[in-house]
Amino acid sequence: MREKTDQEEKAMRGNNKIGAIVITCSMLFVGLGTAYQAIAQDATTHYPKMAPIDQYLMADRNAEIALARSAAPDAISRDATVLILGRHGYETAIQGKNGFVCFVGRSWGAAFDWDEFWNPKVKAADCLNPQAAHSILPIISLRAKMVMAGRSKEEMVSAFKAAYQNKQLPELESGAMDYMMSKSSYLTDQGGHDMPHVMFYTHVKDGSDWGSGAALSPIMSAPYWFFSPNEQPQTKGLPPILVFLVAVPTWSDGTPVDMHSN
């Protein structure tokens, strides 16, 4: 049997490491700011209602800006627009020039049936590319406005359906993606609190077309609006969006992932 070359051994170790990251986080899917936990049929909701608004806000404006920028490598985030969350929604703190938009996502940016939807601890650094800034950011901004106004999940879903029906929200742009590579994000109470990855927003119908969920694949996927198949009837009137998550082996500052650090 032919012995493996050093290059092949390094490639195998690299693939195994990324695969192990995905396996370790196989119950997590975080994105837009958004987070994912595969939902069991008998899952208990730990956050049944919205927390006081102050718990979702960050008191230190500069800390929020720094966290938002840490979502992507400096070569991208240093010239990006930066948003911070205020009492009426996201506000522009710094106007960028490269078309990217960085912000700190909250739990209510995730799927509506996630059991941590109202978790105020979630602070997820995101940096959207121009295509996502054009077509995903309007969704995120509208969510933030409604949450800050005290709207329920049911009211938000209805508002989104009306907005799409009235052409008030744009269609998803091809190539929309999101960097989530910050060391300092808090993505979920489940297991490790963070994992560096990038996400792609697509019209793809079958995640297996990208190898999502295959053994040692660095790719996971989940529907954007609702995770559970039982909730899919609620998506009628909403554009289908399948989000792919690709694990990466380094944080935004270039340091390698320590799988035991979280």
Side-chain angles (χ1 to χ4, degrees), residues 2 20 60 94 96 140 220 244 248 262:
R2 182 178 68 87
D60 188 332
I94 298 173
I140 295 167
M220 294 180 283
F244 287 90
V248 297
N262 285 330

Side-chain angles (χ1 to χ4, degrees), residues 22 29 70 76 100 183 249 254 257:
V22 175
F29 179 88
S70 70
I76 294 169
F100 284 77
K183 282 182 177 178
V257 174

Side-chain angles (χ1 to χ4, degrees), residues 39-43 228-230:
I39 298 175
Q41 295 298 318
D42 59 350
S228 172
N230 295 334

